[in-house]
Amino acid sequence: MALPTGTVTFLFTDIEGSTRLLHELGDRYAAVLADHHRLLRAALQPRGGHEVETQGDAFFVAFARAKDAVAAAIDAQRALSAFQWPAGVLVRVRMGLHTGEPLVTETGYVGIDVHRAARIAAAGHGQQILLSDATRALLGDDLPRETSLKDLGEHRLKDLPHAQRIVQVIVPGLQADFPPLKSVEALPNNLPAQLTSFIGREREIGETKDLLRRSRLVTLTGAGGSGKSRLALRVAGDVLDVYPDGAWWVDLAPLTDPTLVPHAVAASVGVREQPDLPLLESLTGFLRFRSILLVLDNCEHLVSACAHFADHVLRQSPKTQLLTTSREGLGTAGEALYPVAPLTLPAPQKTTTPDRAKQSEAIRLFVDRATAVLPSFRLTEQNSGAIVRICQRLDGIPLAIELAAARVRALPVEQLAARLDDRFRILTGGSRTGVARHQTLQATMDWGYQLLSAKERAMLNRLSVFAGGFTLEAVEDVCSGGAVAETEILDLVTHLVDKSLVVPGEAAGEARYQLLETVRQYARTKLLEHDEAEQVLRVHRDWYLRLAERAAPELRARDQAVWLPRLEAEHDNLRAALRWTLASSDRETALRLAGALGAFWDRHGHVVEGRQWLDETLAMSGEASPVTLARALAENAYLTETQFDFDRATTLSNEALALYKTLGDRQGMAFVLHILAVMARKKGEYDRSRVLLEESLGLYRDAGDRWGIAWSMYGLGGLARFQRDYARAVPLLTEGLDLFRAVGDRQGMAQSLYFLGLAARAQRDFGRATALGEESLALARELEDRYTAAHSLHLIGTVAWYQGQTDRASSLHQECLAMFQELGDKSCTATTLSDFGLVVQHRGELTQAEALQRDSLRRYQELGDKPGIARSLERLAGALAGSGKPDHAARLLGAAQSLRQTIGVAAAPADRPDSDRIEAAVRAALDRSSLTAAWDEGRKMTAAQAVEYALTD
């Protein structure tokens, strides 16, 4: 029977959990599957269903009318639900329907409508019937009696370019409530939305998935423009539900520095740099126990760095898999290579007819892209021969085909074919040993380039100076001049977008554009052939210098939430500007640019990278003004101090301070004095820290710098809090908070609120502490400040614990513990482990409580944090007392008491109720003589002996 043509409704079905059923039933599965098939066919065939394909438990059925398809699906679900399956067997079938106008070939249906129907079915759950909006529209009000529809909203489905509106059929007597659909949004990922349909590659998709099941590193190799990236994206979307912790896309094309590979990966998965931990270690710590797929795209120019990164991740993170694209393999142990071949082409000997041409992936891609730019375009008897010649001459390379198809709006395909043939004959004669497809792609690029007007070519050349994308504002400044007037920029960019040479997008709330990497490399070569290259590169550098210097003061002001993401979006361009300036030996400009970016690198978690740039610029030979040099030294000192490299930070600070004194720059002097004060506080030199902060505050006041005054108040309040002088800390922190509010520094506000929350908690004002913590958390999340967010969660969690809200405290402690571990913050991880230990002890889970306190104690010992060691000893004593080991607990309490007396730090007021409770429990469990003996034994222990005793007991 012939398949329906024209407007067709597709129904896809499969059994939810069929693999599990097969394993559970063994030989009995065949009988269950036979009943399933019989019931479906009995329901579908009477309604006019044409069984297109059946694979295992999956059915693909076509209907001439949407009404019949929906009625058949309802009949099938009712039959499956009413059937008496064997005891213990539950067969739940998911169904998806979509209506479209597919192409019919010798092998069946082809086109996006088939994929759309399959993806709708895959998003559902057993016993659920889902319809596309197109099918719903055709139904109108013509629904089977008593059934209704439920709008489930728009959902982005795997490998489909646009979100799909989906509705559910509600059938009386059948399940109506289901979990959320299995759409892309429901699974953790950052996979780019596909703006165009994916054509063909079924074999490659299946074979790549098979390789991922067998190997933890799979590399798709092939020539530039062969479709490696699109194939990787399609596969990642298909296997998304295999990885509970998501699939994460990392575009390496903008990078020129191999050392930045871990930075690009960290940015994609959301891991920030830690001052005292190499980024790679923070990253592998985050990945270690997560089931994640990393997709590293465009590795060819960073092969060695990518190989070392992949090797490190595979060794340290056993559940992580990598899918990479490169023109060559990475050469790493265990790597599975998959060459991405060109798209299939029509056999040369066959007569070219539209139906036969449609079976070729290359032809289908050309037609799809041509239709996108010219909706009236059709594959016909008259033009099919020319289209076949174009695709054959382009060797089936996707990028070349897309570039050709984009021209059908300007030229008929017959003329395109003729010009392309001429161009290939002209551009032969390359290396005899080179890959032919490389020569073909170069010829395609040359051909497309020659089709541009002179102004379009000049524009494309100049756009190649941008890395990682660009805004129209930047293009108007950098690319205007000479033959291109600023008023022509928008039209020229639009023309290049129309011709698929520039890709539009959005980032940081504004329109951004990007060149495909192959196009950018080609255009960069063309630019360097012209005398204007040096001038364009300099203008590019100067534009980003102005951007950085304009942004710097805004990062501590009201618009910081605008400027931080904007600088992040432009980070690749800023890096490119820095690298070019370093190469040109312009020390003054390099120092200006790096110095202006110091606050951005600090506030957006690029501390290690920022320090590297500043070190490199400071090490350059050449002249620099005292103002520029002082700022770079001060910014580097600030970043260096956060990494606890106090010797280097002190040297940098002293050099900057001397220059600022010579210049009479009070704000510069105040900034450096604050850095020195923070180092003094971290080293326990509280009196010196206070003197330096007060001197800094005086200078900021003299200069009328409200942000500097706020920062100083925050520093003095934080110092008083460390000294547990809350009567002094709270007014200082409150004044700093008010000033941060006045200048609009929300990050300063978030941190001040957190410290005020700590003070309120210490004073047992728990309602205020929670309110302050939640306000801090909201600001931190708005700014994507994970450090302050984690601290605020911890504050709220400990307050919940003090108030007896055990479940809430447990949830919050687990959340912030995971964040601290991801961030690599050892001190806060130790503190949270100890606090979490109290929570689980309260629930009676004493073994886990002991383990958490010992884990905390180990970390405090590594840090040399004696107050933390004392607290962990006390809390471990509490867990041991509850486990029937009061003598051991007494020794630890004696050791903790001795340690506190030695260091002169008593328990924090908020901790005293727990300390008193633990001591009371130990005293109640032992007679006086036993208690005294054990306590004295503990007091005689050194801190190291007490820790060893606690960890080996």
Side-chain angles (χ1 to χ4, degrees), residues 120 131-134 136 151-155 163-167:
I120 291 171
L131 312 180
S132 72
D133 201 39
R136 181 206 58 76
D151 190 344
L152 301 182
E154 291 192 343
H155 295 266
Q164 312 294 311
R165 180 167 291 280
I166 298 176
V167 297

Side-chain angles (χ1 to χ4, degrees), residues 573-596:
N573 279 307
L574 292 163
R575 288 164 171 153
L578 270 167
R579 183 59 61 198
W580 186 83
T581 308
L582 286 165
S584 64
S585 301
D586 185 349
R587 188 173 188 236
E588 169 72 17
T589 306
L591 288 170
R592 281 177 60 192
L593 181 52

Side-chain angles (χ1 to χ4, degrees), residues 297-442:
D297 190 36
N298 295 307
C299 297
E300 51 268 4
H301 61 305
L302 304 166
V303 168
S304 179
C306 291
H308 285 96
F309 173 81
D311 183 71
H312 184 83
V313 168
L314 293 175
R315 292 180 187 276
Q316 298 296 321
S317 308
K319 292 185 178 180
T320 300
Q321 285 189 267
L322 287 92
L323 176 62
T324 67
T325 72
S326 178
R327 295 184 186 181
E328 60 180 308
L330 302 187
T332 301
E335 179 185 31
L337 297 177
Y338 188 82
V340 178
L343 297 172
T344 60
L345 292 161
Q349 68 273 18
K350 286 190 175 182
T351 303
T352 304
T353 65
D355 285 342
R356 286 180 175 171
K358 290 174 187 175
Q359 298 176 36
S360 155
E361 294 173 336
I363 301 300
R364 297 209 305 272
L365 177 63
F366 184 95
V367 172
D368 181 88
R369 301 302 190 259
T371 304
V373 299
L374 188 65
S376 61
F377 183 85
R378 293 290 184 274
L379 177 65
T380 66
E381 293 282 354
Q382 290 72 33
N383 65 19
S384 60
I387 294 173
V388 168
R389 288 197 302 276
I390 290 170
C391 293
Q392 287 176 334
R393 296 302 293 161
L394 296 178
D395 286 349
I397 296 175
L399 175 60
I401 292 170
E402 292 190 355
L403 290 170
R407 298 293 179 263
V408 300
R409 189 164 52 185
L411 290 171
V413 291
E414 291 79 6
Q415 291 185 34
L416 282 174
R419 292 171 67 95
L420 188 60
D421 288 344
D422 290 339
R423 185 59 60 192
F424 276 123
R425 283 195 292 271
I426 293 171
L427 295 176
T428 56
S431 169
R432 294 180 182 274
T433 60
V435 179
R437 289 195 300 273
H438 288 181
Q439 295 176 350
T440 302
L441 184 58
Q442 177 68 39

Side-chain angles (χ1 to χ4, degrees), residues 173-241:
L174 299 182
Q175 181 178 342
D177 295 322
F178 296 89
L181 297 184
K182 301 171 185 176
S183 57
V184 172
E185 290 88 348
L187 300 168
N189 73 94
N190 71 336
L191 300 179
Q194 298 190 51
L195 303 179
T196 54
S197 57
F198 188 88
I199 305 296
R201 299 292 200 192
E202 285 81 9
R203 177 179 59 82
E204 290 89 340
I205 292 168
E207 291 175 353
T208 303
K209 289 180 184 177
D210 288 339
L211 285 177
L212 280 173
R213 284 188 280 268
R214 300 196 301 269
S215 175
R216 292 180 56 214
L217 170 60
V218 176
T219 298
L220 305 180
T221 62
S226 61
K228 304 182 294 295
S229 299
R230 285 300 301 271
L231 177 58
L233 180 57
R234 169 61 187 269
V235 170
D238 278 1
V239 301
L240 190 54
D241 53 2

